[in-house]
Amino acid sequence: MRPARLSPRFSLASPAAAADPASLWYRVTRLDWWLIGLIVALAGIGFAILYSAADGSWQPWAGKQALRFGIGMVMMIAVATISFTLWWRTAYLVYALALALLVMVEFTGVGEGSQRWISLGFMNLQPSETMKLALVLALARYFHDLDENQVDRIVVLIPPAVLTGIPALLVLRQPDLGTAMILVALAVAVTFLAGLAWWKFALGAALTAAAGPLAWRFLLHDYQRDRVLTFLDPGRDPHGAGYHILQSKIGLGSGGLFGKGFIGGTQSQLSFLPEKHTDFIFTLLAEEFGFFGSILLAAIIIGIIGCCYAIMMRCESVFARVLVLGLATNFFLYAFINMAMVMGLLPVVGVPLPLVSYGGTSMLTLLIGFGFIQSAAIHRGRLPLRHRGIS
């Protein structure tokens, strides 16, 4: 008896499935593989640097990081292939869940020196990282539902201010000044992308600068004031608050054009460089691979942002465009603040280098964010929502 032939309708490789927008094969073929390739390349550099940070061993960091990356890639593709309309419908629900996790940190949070994580047994979850995604989702949904004439009114900025202010204050209480700053910066960037007039941003910047003395007096902790003062004068406490940044500058400068070679960095391998597997991992890379290695890393990061921008240009709905640009801005802020921080151009605020620094929650949330971006690429033009131009 001849085996029964599969119906073309159910064959993933059939022309019918390839053209059927509802098929899994159709969605997989619409993934942006350039973006995936650059993400894999950046994470691969991270594995190599973590291997070097452990003096040529996969333990304790590189092996776990590779496992988390594999899990994160599966989650990214799963998020990408789910209907984009679902993310629009559940945007506020996702935000509410992320906010509830932040509130839980107040009561059940764990951590040494700062209370930022919730213990899940097999890993510690950092809710402030998930809030970055949830905030961009909620703001994209909010601005999508507005008419063009409404966007430029001051009163419509009250809900976004509340959506941003509550989690920012909760994160500041942990305390985590760097993440709180990123949440506010994300909200400002998304609001600008949604079409608010530039002069209103200038007015907001002026008011923020005027409130600076109050924030210095009432919001910042003593160690955070020390970080700002050390940023202005790194030599004021070379064995205390200024130690991290001074060692980082020595490591960056000693790498030269081509670096000291893989697992050959003296500042990092002899443990002069603190936090070499998390916040200061870029310094380790620059010491071992020099200026050209740093430029290669920066080129990959710029390529990822360029892919996101290209996807945004192909999207038709405001929700998709604001979401893609907001998440790309989140990735950019991670990279910019980390590299500027280790070079002494910004105060040390504890922001990891995206997909390179050791850390589970930040890697998984970044990859889920890229899943949203891929979902926008797959379902572009198919979102059954009203469209509005974007400035």
Side-chain angles (χ1 to χ4, degrees):
M1 180 180 294
R2 298 175 60 185
R5 296 180 59 187
L6 290 175
S7 166
R9 182 177 179 181
F10 299 102
S11 171
L12 291 179
S14 69
D20 181 6
S23 71
L24 178 61
W25 180 253
Y26 174 86
R27 298 178 187 186
V28 170
T29 57
R30 302 260 292 187
L31 287 169
D32 190 317
W33 291 98
W34 281 105
L35 177 58
I36 291 176
L38 290 169
I39 289 171
V40 172
L42 185 60
I45 291 175
F47 304 152
I49 300 302
L50 289 172
Y51 181 85
S52 173
D55 197 20
S57 172
W58 284 95
Q59 301 299 332
W61 302 308
K64 290 181 181 177
Q65 187 83 339
L67 176 61
R68 291 166 176 169
F69 180 73
I71 295 172
M73 289 296 286
V74 172
M75 295 172 70
M76 183 189 79
I77 293 176
V79 169
T81 53
I82 291 174
S83 171
F84 196 62
T85 307
L86 178 66
W87 305 125
W88 177 81
R89 288 176 175 162
T90 60
Y92 292 138
L93 175 61
V94 172
Y95 174 87
L97 292 174
L99 188 62
L101 290 174
L102 270 182
V103 174
M104 282 180 63
V105 174
E106 289 284 313
F107 302 99
T108 63
V110 297
E112 296 179 3
S114 56
Q115 190 171 312
R116 302 177 183 174
W117 296 269
I118 295 174
S119 177
L120 300 179
F122 60 94
M123 67 172 287
N124 288 335
L125 176 70
Q126 190 173 357
S128 58
E129 295 293 332
T130 60
M131 177 49 75
K132 293 173 185 173
L133 297 183
L135 179 63
V136 175
L137 265 174
L139 292 179
R141 168 68 191 268
Y142 176 78
F143 284 112
H144 177 94
D145 293 343
L146 294 178
D147 293 331
E148 284 186 57
N149 295 331
Q150 291 178 306
V151 174
D152 217 25
R153 296 176 183 171
I154 292 293
V155 69
V156 303
L157 298 181
I158 295 175
V162 173
L163 289 171
T164 308
I166 294 174
L169 289 175
L170 288 171
V171 171
L172 204 57
R173 280 178 52 83
Q174 293 179 357
D176 188 350
L177 177 62
T179 302
M181 289 171 58
I182 288 181
L183 287 175
V184 174
L186 275 177
V188 171
V190 168
T191 306
F192 177 76
L193 296 170
L196 193 70
W198 67 268
W199 67 267
K200 292 176 182 174
F201 285 95
L203 178 61
L207 293 174
T208 302
L214 293 176
W216 179 270
R217 176 69 178 82
F218 297 107
L219 290 182
L220 297 187
H221 294 261
D222 289 341
Y223 80 93
Q224 290 169 335
R225 296 191 191 98
D226 272 346
R227 287 180 176 180
V228 176
L229 294 174
T230 301
F231 161 68
L232 298 173
D233 180 15
R236 63 186 286 272
D237 187 10
H239 300 292
Y243 180 80
H244 291 58
I245 192 60
L246 289 176
Q247 293 300 322
S248 178
K249 287 182 177 180
I250 292 171
L252 288 168
S254 63
L257 283 178
F258 301 104
K260 298 175 180 176
F262 189 47
I263 321 181
T266 52
Q267 291 299 113
S268 52
Q269 300 302 333
L270 298 178
S271 299
F272 288 105
L273 182 67
E275 306 298 338
K276 59 186 177 184
H277 62 296
T278 54
D279 297 348
F280 288 87
I281 197 168
F282 180 71
T283 304
L284 194 158
L285 180 144
E287 185 183 21
E288 297 192 349
F289 295 96
F291 174 76
F292 286 105
S294 305
I295 290 295
L296 174 62
L297 182 84
I300 293 174
I301 290 172
I302 292 171
I304 290 174
I305 295 171
C307 285
C308 295
Y309 187 81
I311 290 173
M312 183 278 295
M313 293 295 291
R314 298 196 296 269
C315 293
E316 297 179 7
S317 72
V318 171
F319 177 70
R321 287 190 166 204
V322 173
L323 180 63
V324 171
L325 277 180
L327 294 174
T329 301
N330 180 40
F331 177 78
F332 166 78
L333 288 174
Y334 264 112
F336 173 77
I337 293 176
N338 178 273
M339 289 192 280
M341 178 183 78
V342 301
M343 288 188 283
L345 302 177
L346 286 175
V348 176
V349 288
V351 174
L353 189 60
L355 301 179
V356 179
S357 293
Y358 180 76
T361 310
S362 63
M363 169 169 280
L364 292 178
T365 53
L366 277 168
L367 290 174
I368 291 173
F370 283 120
F372 288 132
I373 293 172
Q374 293 276 12
S375 183
I378 293 172
H379 303 97
R380 59 181 181 273
R382 292 180 50 79
L383 196 63
L385 305 170
R386 62 187 174 78
H387 298 158
R388 176 168 63 84
I390 187 169
S391 58

Coordinates of all heavy atoms in Angstrom, one line a residue, residues 34-116:
W34 N 19.0 39.1 9.7 CA 20.1 39.9 9.9 C 20.2 40.3 11.4 O 21.2 40.3 12.0 CB 20.0 41.2 9.0 CG 20.5 40.9 7.6 CD1 19.7 40.8 6.5 CD2 21.8 40.8 7.1 NE1 20.4 40.6 5.4 CE2 21.7 40.6 5.7 CE3 23.0 40.8 7.8 CZ2 22.9 40.4 5.0 CZ3 24.2 40.6 7.0 CH2 24.1 40.4 5.6
L35 N 19.0 40.7 11.9 CA 19.0 41.1 13.3 C 19.3 39.9 14.2 O 20.1 40.1 15.2 CB 17.5 41.6 13.7 CG 17.3 42.0 15.1 CD1 18.2 43.1 15.6 CD2 15.8 42.4 15.3
I36 N 18.8 38.7 13.9 CA 19.2 37.5 14.7 C 20.7 37.3 14.6 O 21.3 37.0 15.6 CB 18.4 36.3 14.2 CG1 16.9 36.5 14.6 CG2 18.9 35.0 14.8 CD1 16.0 35.4 14.1
G37 N 21.3 37.4 13.4 CA 22.7 37.1 13.3 C 23.5 38.1 14.1 O 24.5 37.7 14.8
L38 N 23.1 39.4 14.1 CA 23.9 40.3 14.9 C 23.7 40.1 16.4 O 24.7 40.3 17.2 CB 23.4 41.8 14.6 CG 23.9 42.2 13.2 CD1 23.1 43.5 12.8 CD2 25.4 42.4 13.1
I39 N 22.5 39.7 16.8 CA 22.3 39.4 18.3 C 23.2 38.2 18.7 O 23.8 38.2 19.7 CB 20.8 39.0 18.5 CG1 20.0 40.3 18.4 CG2 20.6 38.4 19.8 CD1 18.5 40.1 18.4
V40 N 23.2 37.2 17.8 CA 24.1 36.0 18.1 C 25.6 36.4 18.2 O 26.3 36.0 19.1 CB 23.9 34.9 17.1 CG1 24.9 33.8 17.3 CG2 22.4 34.3 17.2
A41 N 26.0 37.3 17.3 CA 27.4 37.7 17.3 C 27.7 38.5 18.6 O 28.8 38.3 19.2 CB 27.6 38.6 16.1
L42 N 26.8 39.4 19.0 CA 27.1 40.2 20.2 C 27.1 39.3 21.4 O 28.0 39.4 22.3 CB 26.0 41.2 20.4 CG 26.2 42.2 21.5 CD1 27.5 43.0 21.4 CD2 25.0 43.2 21.6
A43 N 26.2 38.3 21.5 CA 26.2 37.4 22.7 C 27.4 36.5 22.6 O 28.0 36.2 23.7 CB 24.9 36.6 22.6
G44 N 27.8 36.1 21.4 CA 29.1 35.3 21.3 C 30.3 36.0 21.9 O 31.1 35.4 22.5
I45 N 30.4 37.3 21.6 CA 31.5 38.1 22.2 C 31.4 38.1 23.7 O 32.4 37.9 24.4 CB 31.5 39.5 21.6 CG1 31.8 39.5 20.2 CG2 32.4 40.4 22.4 CD1 31.7 40.9 19.5
G46 N 30.1 38.2 24.2 CA 29.9 38.1 25.6 C 30.4 36.8 26.3 O 31.1 36.8 27.3
F47 N 30.1 35.7 25.6 CA 30.5 34.4 26.1 C 32.1 34.3 26.2 O 32.6 33.8 27.2 CB 30.0 33.2 25.2 CG 28.6 33.2 25.0 CD1 28.0 32.6 23.9 CD2 27.7 33.7 26.0 CE1 26.7 32.6 23.7 CE2 26.3 33.7 25.8 CZ 25.8 33.1 24.6
A48 N 32.7 34.8 25.1 CA 34.2 34.8 25.1 C 34.8 35.6 26.2 O 35.7 35.2 26.9 CB 34.7 35.2 23.7
I49 N 34.2 36.8 26.4 CA 34.8 37.7 27.5 C 34.5 37.1 28.9 O 35.4 37.2 29.8 CB 34.2 39.1 27.3 CG1 34.5 39.7 26.0 CG2 34.7 40.0 28.4 CD1 36.0 39.7 25.7
L50 N 33.3 36.5 29.1 CA 33.1 35.9 30.4 C 34.0 34.7 30.6 O 34.4 34.4 31.7 CB 31.6 35.4 30.4 CG 30.6 36.6 30.5 CD1 29.2 36.1 30.4 CD2 30.8 37.3 31.9
Y51 N 34.3 33.9 29.5 CA 35.3 32.8 29.6 C 36.6 33.4 30.0 O 37.3 32.8 30.9 CB 35.3 32.2 28.2 CG 36.3 31.0 28.1 CD1 35.8 29.7 28.5 CD2 37.6 31.1 27.7 CE1 36.7 28.6 28.4 CE2 38.4 30.0 27.6 CZ 38.0 28.8 27.9 OH 38.8 27.7 27.8
S52 N 37.0 34.5 29.4 CA 38.3 35.1 29.8 C 38.3 35.6 31.3 O 39.3 35.5 32.0 CB 38.6 36.2 28.9 OG 39.8 37.0 29.3
A53 N 37.1 36.2 31.7 CA 37.0 36.8 33.0 C 37.2 35.7 34.1 O 37.7 36.0 35.2 CB 35.7 37.4 33.2
A54 N 36.8 34.4 33.7 CA 37.0 33.3 34.7 C 38.3 32.6 34.5 O 38.5 31.4 34.8 CB 35.9 32.3 34.5
D55 N 39.3 33.3 33.8 CA 40.7 32.8 33.6 C 40.6 31.5 32.8 O 41.3 30.5 33.1 CB 41.3 32.5 35.0 CG 42.9 32.3 34.8 OD1 43.4 32.8 33.8 OD2 43.5 31.7 35.7
G56 N 39.8 31.5 31.7 CA 39.8 30.4 30.8 C 38.9 29.3 31.2 O 39.3 28.1 31.0
S57 N 37.8 29.6 31.8 CA 36.9 28.6 32.2 C 35.4 28.9 31.9 O 35.0 30.1 31.9 CB 37.0 28.3 33.7 OG 36.0 27.5 34.2
W58 N 34.6 27.9 31.6 CA 33.2 28.2 31.3 C 32.4 28.4 32.7 O 31.3 28.9 32.6 CB 32.6 27.0 30.6 CG 32.9 27.0 29.1 CD1 33.9 26.3 28.6 CD2 32.3 27.7 28.1 NE1 34.0 26.5 27.2 CE2 33.0 27.4 26.9 CE3 31.2 28.6 28.0 CZ2 32.6 27.9 25.7 CZ3 30.8 29.1 26.8 CH2 31.5 28.8 25.7
Q59 N 33.0 28.1 33.8 CA 32.4 28.3 35.1 C 33.1 29.4 35.8 O 34.3 29.6 35.7 CB 32.5 27.0 35.9 CG 31.8 25.8 35.3 CD 30.3 26.1 35.1 OE1 29.7 26.8 35.8 NE2 29.7 25.5 34.1
P60 N 32.4 30.3 36.5 CA 31.0 30.2 36.8 C 30.1 31.0 36.0 O 28.9 31.0 36.2 CB 31.0 30.7 38.3 CG 32.0 31.8 38.2 CD 33.1 31.3 37.3
W61 N 30.6 31.7 34.9 CA 29.7 32.7 34.2 C 29.4 32.3 32.8 O 28.2 32.3 32.4 CB 30.4 34.1 34.2 CG 30.7 34.6 35.6 CD1 29.9 34.7 36.7 CD2 32.0 35.0 36.1 NE1 30.5 35.2 37.7 CE2 31.8 35.4 37.4 CE3 33.3 35.2 35.5 CZ2 32.8 36.0 38.2 CZ3 34.3 35.7 36.3 CH2 34.1 36.1 37.6
A62 N 30.4 31.9 32.0 CA 30.1 31.8 30.5 C 29.1 30.7 30.2 O 28.2 30.8 29.4 CB 31.4 31.5 29.8
G63 N 29.2 29.5 30.9 CA 28.3 28.4 30.7 C 26.9 28.8 31.0 O 26.0 28.5 30.2
K64 N 26.7 29.4 32.2 CA 25.3 29.8 32.6 C 24.7 30.8 31.6 O 23.6 30.8 31.2 CB 25.3 30.3 34.0 CG 25.6 29.3 35.1 CD 25.5 29.9 36.4 CE 25.8 28.9 37.5 NZ 25.8 29.5 38.9
Q65 N 25.6 31.7 31.2 CA 25.2 32.8 30.3 C 24.7 32.2 28.9 O 23.7 32.6 28.3 CB 26.3 33.8 30.0 CG 25.9 35.0 29.2 CD 25.2 36.1 30.1 OE1 24.7 35.8 31.2 NE2 25.2 37.3 29.6
A66 N 25.5 31.2 28.4 CA 25.1 30.5 27.2 C 23.8 29.8 27.3 O 23.0 29.8 26.4 CB 26.2 29.6 26.7
L67 N 23.6 29.2 28.4 CA 22.3 28.4 28.6 C 21.1 29.4 28.7 O 20.1 29.2 28.0 CB 22.4 27.7 30.0 CG 21.1 26.9 30.4 CD1 20.7 25.9 29.3 CD2 21.3 26.3 31.8
R68 N 21.3 30.5 29.4 CA 20.3 31.6 29.4 C 20.0 32.1 28.0 O 18.8 32.4 27.7 CB 20.7 32.7 30.4 CG 20.7 32.3 31.8 CD 21.4 33.3 32.7 NE 21.4 33.0 34.1 CZ 22.1 33.6 35.0 NH1 22.9 34.5 34.6 NH2 22.0 33.2 36.3
F69 N 21.1 32.3 27.2 CA 20.9 32.9 25.9 C 20.0 31.9 25.0 O 19.2 32.3 24.3 CB 22.2 33.1 25.2 CG 22.1 33.7 23.9 CD1 21.8 35.0 23.7 CD2 22.4 32.9 22.8 CE1 21.7 35.5 22.4 CE2 22.3 33.4 21.5 CZ 21.9 34.7 21.3
G70 N 20.3 30.6 25.2 CA 19.6 29.6 24.4 C 18.1 29.7 24.8 O 17.2 29.7 23.9
I71 N 17.8 29.7 26.1 CA 16.4 29.8 26.5 C 15.8 31.1 26.0 O 14.6 31.2 25.6 CB 16.4 29.8 28.1 CG1 16.8 28.4 28.5 CG2 15.0 30.0 28.6 CD1 17.0 28.3 30.0
G72 N 16.6 32.2 26.1 CA 16.1 33.5 25.7 C 15.7 33.6 24.2 O 14.8 34.2 23.7
M73 N 16.6 32.9 23.3 CA 16.3 32.8 21.9 C 15.0 32.1 21.6 O 14.2 32.5 20.7 CB 17.5 32.2 21.2 CG 18.7 33.0 21.1 SD 18.5 34.6 20.2 CE 18.5 34.0 18.5
V74 N 14.8 31.0 22.3 CA 13.5 30.3 22.1 C 12.3 31.2 22.5 O 11.3 31.3 21.8 CB 13.5 29.0 23.0 CG1 12.1 28.4 23.0 CG2 14.5 28.0 22.5
M75 N 12.5 31.9 23.6 CA 11.4 32.9 24.0 C 11.2 34.0 23.0 O 10.1 34.4 22.7 CB 11.7 33.4 25.4 CG 11.8 32.4 26.5 SD 12.4 33.0 28.1 CE 11.0 34.1 28.6
M76 N 12.3 34.5 22.4 CA 12.2 35.5 21.4 C 11.4 35.1 20.2 O 10.5 35.8 19.8 CB 13.6 36.0 21.0 CG 13.6 37.1 20.0 SD 15.3 37.5 19.3 CE 15.3 36.2 18.1
I77 N 11.7 33.9 19.7 CA 11.0 33.4 18.5 C 9.6 33.1 18.9 O 8.7 33.4 18.0 CB 11.7 32.2 18.0 CG1 13.1 32.6 17.4 CG2 10.9 31.5 16.8 CD1 14.0 31.5 16.9
A78 N 9.3 32.6 20.1 CA 7.9 32.3 20.5 C 7.1 33.7 20.5 O 6.0 33.7 20.0 CB 7.9 31.7 21.8
V79 N 7.7 34.7 21.1 CA 7.0 36.0 21.2 C 6.8 36.6 19.8 O 5.8 37.1 19.4 CB 7.8 37.0 22.1 CG1 7.3 38.4 21.9 CG2 7.8 36.6 23.5
A80 N 7.8 36.4 18.9 CA 7.8 36.9 17.6 C 6.7 36.3 16.7 O 6.0 37.0 15.9 CB 9.1 36.7 16.9
T81 N 6.4 35.0 16.9 CA 5.4 34.3 16.1 C 4.0 34.5 16.6 O 3.0 34.1 15.9 CB 5.8 32.9 15.9 OG1 6.0 32.3 17.3 CG2 7.1 32.7 15.2
I82 N 3.8 35.0 17.8 CA 2.4 35.2 18.3 C 1.9 36.5 17.6 O 2.6 37.4 17.3 CB 2.5 35.4 19.8 CG1 2.9 34.1 20.5 CG2 1.2 35.9 20.4 CD1 3.1 34.2 22.0
S83 N 0.6 36.5 17.4 CA -0.1 37.6 16.8 C 0.2 38.9 17.4 O 0.1 39.0 18.7 CB -1.6 37.3 16.8 OG -2.3 38.5 16.4
F84 N 0.6 39.9 16.6 CA 0.9 41.2 17.2 C -0.2 41.9 17.8 O -0.1 42.7 18.7 CB 1.5 42.1 16.0 CG 2.2 43.3 16.5 CD1 3.4 43.1 17.3 CD2 1.8 44.5 16.2 CE1 4.1 44.3 17.7 CE2 2.5 45.7 16.6 CZ 3.6 45.5 17.4
T85 N -1.4 41.6 17.4 CA -2.7 42.2 17.9 C -2.8 41.8 19.4 O -3.3 42.6 20.2 CB -3.9 41.7 17.2 OG1 -3.7 41.9 15.8 CG2 -5.1 42.4 17.7
L86 N -2.3 40.6 19.8 CA -2.4 40.2 21.2 C -1.6 41.1 22.1 O -2.0 41.4 23.2 CB -1.9 38.7 21.3 CG -1.8 38.2 22.7 CD1 -3.3 38.0 23.3 CD2 -1.1 36.8 22.8
W87 N -0.4 41.5 21.6 CA 0.4 42.4 22.4 C -0.3 43.8 22.6 O -0.1 44.4 23.6 CB 1.8 42.6 21.8 CG 2.5 41.3 21.6 CD1 3.0 40.8 20.4 CD2 2.7 40.2 22.6 NE1 3.5 39.5 20.6 CE2 3.3 39.2 21.9 CE3 2.4 40.1 23.9 CZ2 3.7 38.0 22.6 CZ3 2.8 38.9 24.6 CH2 3.4 37.9 23.9
W88 N -1.0 44.2 21.5 CA -1.7 45.5 21.7 C -2.8 45.3 22.7 O -3.0 46.2 23.5 CB -2.3 45.9 20.3 CG -3.2 47.1 20.3 CD1 -2.7 48.4 20.3 CD2 -4.6 47.1 20.4 NE1 -3.8 49.2 20.4 CE2 -4.9 48.5 20.4 CE3 -5.6 46.2 20.5 CZ2 -6.3 48.9 20.5 CZ3 -6.9 46.6 20.5 CH2 -7.2 47.9 20.6
R89 N -3.6 44.2 22.7 CA -4.7 44.1 23.6 C -4.2 43.9 25.0 O -5.0 44.3 25.9 CB -5.5 42.8 23.2 CG -6.3 43.0 21.9 CD -7.0 41.8 21.5 NE -7.9 42.0 20.3 CZ -8.3 41.1 19.5 NH1 -8.0 39.8 19.8 NH2 -9.1 41.3 18.5
T90 N -3.1 43.3 25.2 CA -2.6 43.0 26.6 C -1.6 44.0 27.2 O -1.0 43.7 28.2 CB -2.1 41.5 26.7 OG1 -1.0 41.4 25.8 CG2 -3.1 40.5 26.3
A91 N -1.4 45.1 26.5 CA -0.3 46.0 26.9 C -0.5 46.5 28.3 O 0.5 46.4 29.1 CB -0.2 47.2 25.9
Y92 N -1.7 46.9 28.6 CA -1.9 47.4 30.0 C -1.9 46.3 31.0 O -1.4 46.5 32.2 CB -3.2 48.2 30.1 CG -3.3 49.5 29.3 CD1 -4.4 49.8 28.5 CD2 -2.2 50.3 29.3 CE1 -4.4 51.0 27.7 CE2 -2.2 51.5 28.5 CZ -3.3 51.8 27.8 OH -3.3 53.0 27.0
L93 N -2.3 45.1 30.7 CA -2.2 44.0 31.6 C -0.8 43.6 31.9 O -0.4 43.4 33.1 CB -3.0 42.8 31.0 CG -2.9 41.5 31.8 CD1 -3.6 41.7 33.2 CD2 -3.6 40.3 31.0
V94 N 0.1 43.6 30.9 CA 1.5 43.3 31.1 C 2.1 44.4 32.0 O 2.9 44.1 32.9 CB 2.2 43.3 29.7 CG1 3.7 43.2 29.9 CG2 1.7 42.1 28.9
Y95 N 1.7 45.6 31.8 CA 2.2 46.7 32.7 C 1.8 46.5 34.1 O 2.6 46.6 35.1 CB 1.7 48.1 32.2 CG 2.1 49.2 33.1 CD1 3.3 49.9 32.9 CD2 1.2 49.6 34.1 CE1 3.6 50.9 33.8 CE2 1.5 50.7 34.9 CZ 2.8 51.3 34.8 OH 3.1 52.3 35.6
A96 N 0.5 46.1 34.3 CA 0.0 45.9 35.7 C 0.7 44.8 36.4 O 1.1 44.8 37.6 CB -1.5 45.6 35.6
L97 N 1.0 43.7 35.6 CA 1.7 42.6 36.2 C 3.2 43.0 36.6 O 3.7 42.6 37.7 CB 1.8 41.4 35.2 CG 0.4 40.7 34.9 CD1 0.5 39.7 33.8 CD2 -0.1 40.1 36.2
A98 N 3.8 43.7 35.7 CA 5.2 44.2 36.0 C 5.2 45.1 37.2 O 6.1 45.0 38.1 CB 5.8 44.9 34.8
L99 N 4.2 46.0 37.3 CA 4.1 46.9 38.5 C 3.9 46.1 39.8 O 4.4 46.4 40.8 CB 3.0 47.9 38.3 CG 2.9 49.0 39.3 CD1 4.2 49.8 39.3 CD2 1.7 49.9 39.1
A100 N 3.0 45.0 39.7 CA 2.8 44.2 40.9 C 4.1 43.5 41.3 O 4.3 43.4 42.5 CB 1.7 43.1 40.5
L101 N 4.9 43.1 40.4 CA 6.2 42.5 40.7 C 7.1 43.5 41.4 O 7.8 43.2 42.4 CB 6.9 41.9 39.5 CG 6.3 40.7 38.9 CD1 7.0 40.3 37.6 CD2 6.4 39.5 39.8
L102 N 7.1 44.7 41.0 CA 7.9 45.8 41.6 C 7.4 46.0 43.1 O 8.2 46.3 44.0 CB 7.8 47.1 40.8 CG 8.8 47.3 39.7 CD1 8.6 48.7 39.1 CD2 10.2 47.2 40.2
V103 N 6.1 46.0 43.2 CA 5.6 46.2 44.6 C 6.0 45.0 45.5 O 6.3 45.2 46.7 CB 4.0 46.3 44.6 CG1 3.5 46.4 46.0 CG2 3.6 47.6 43.8
M104 N 6.0 43.8 44.9 CA 6.4 42.6 45.7 C 7.9 42.8 46.2 O 8.2 42.3 47.3 CB 6.3 41.4 44.8 CG 4.9 40.8 44.7 SD 4.9 39.3 43.6 CE 5.9 38.2 44.7
V105 N 8.7 43.4 45.4 CA 10.1 43.7 45.9 C 10.2 44.4 47.2 O 11.0 44.2 48.0 CB 10.9 44.4 44.8 CG1 12.3 44.8 45.2 CG2 11.0 43.6 43.5
E106 N 9.2 45.3 47.4 CA 9.2 46.1 48.6 C 9.0 45.2 49.8 O 9.5 45.5 50.9 CB 8.0 47.1 48.6 CG 8.2 48.2 47.6 CD 9.1 49.2 48.2 OE1 9.0 49.6 49.4 OE2 10.1 49.6 47.5
F107 N 8.3 44.0 49.7 CA 8.0 43.2 50.8 C 8.8 41.9 50.9 O 9.1 41.4 51.9 CB 6.5 42.8 50.8 CG 5.6 44.0 50.8 CD1 5.0 44.5 49.6 CD2 5.3 44.7 52.0 CE1 4.2 45.6 49.6 CE2 4.5 45.8 52.0 CZ 4.0 46.3 50.8
T108 N 9.1 41.3 49.7 CA 9.8 40.0 49.7 C 11.1 40.1 48.9 O 11.7 39.0 48.6 CB 8.9 38.9 49.0 OG1 8.6 39.3 47.6 CG2 7.6 38.8 49.7
G109 N 11.6 41.3 48.6 CA 12.8 41.4 47.8 C 14.0 40.9 48.5 O 14.1 40.9 49.7
V110 N 15.0 40.4 47.7 CA 16.3 40.0 48.3 C 17.4 40.7 47.6 O 17.3 41.3 46.5 CB 16.5 38.5 48.1 CG1 15.4 37.7 48.8 CG2 16.5 38.1 46.6
G111 N 18.6 40.7 48.2 CA 19.8 41.4 47.7 C 20.7 41.8 48.8 O 20.3 42.0 49.9
E112 N 22.0 42.0 48.4 CA 23.0 42.5 49.3 C 23.2 44.0 49.1 O 23.7 44.4 48.0 CB 24.3 41.7 49.1 CG 24.1 40.2 49.5 CD 25.4 39.5 49.2 OE1 26.4 40.1 48.9 OE2 25.4 38.2 49.4
G113 N 22.9 44.8 50.1 CA 23.1 46.2 49.9 C 21.9 46.9 49.3 O 21.6 48.1 49.5
S114 N 21.3 46.2 48.4 CA 20.1 46.8 47.7 C 19.1 45.7 47.5 O 19.4 44.5 47.2 CB 20.5 47.4 46.3 OG 21.1 46.5 45.5
Q115 N 17.8 46.0 47.6 CA 16.7 45.0 47.5 C 16.1 45.1 46.2 O 15.1 45.9 46.0 CB 15.7 45.3 48.6 CG 14.7 44.2 48.9 CD 13.9 44.5 50.1 OE1 14.5 44.7 51.2 NE2 12.6 44.4 50.0
R116 N 16.6 44.3 45.2 CA 16.1 44.5 43.8 C 15.5 43.2 43.2 O 15.0 43.3 42.1 CB 17.3 44.9 42.9 CG 18.0 46.2 43.3 CD 19.2 46.5 42.4 NE 19.9 47.7 42.9 CZ 21.0 48.1 42.4 NH1 21.6 47.5 41.4 NH2 21.6 49.2 42.8

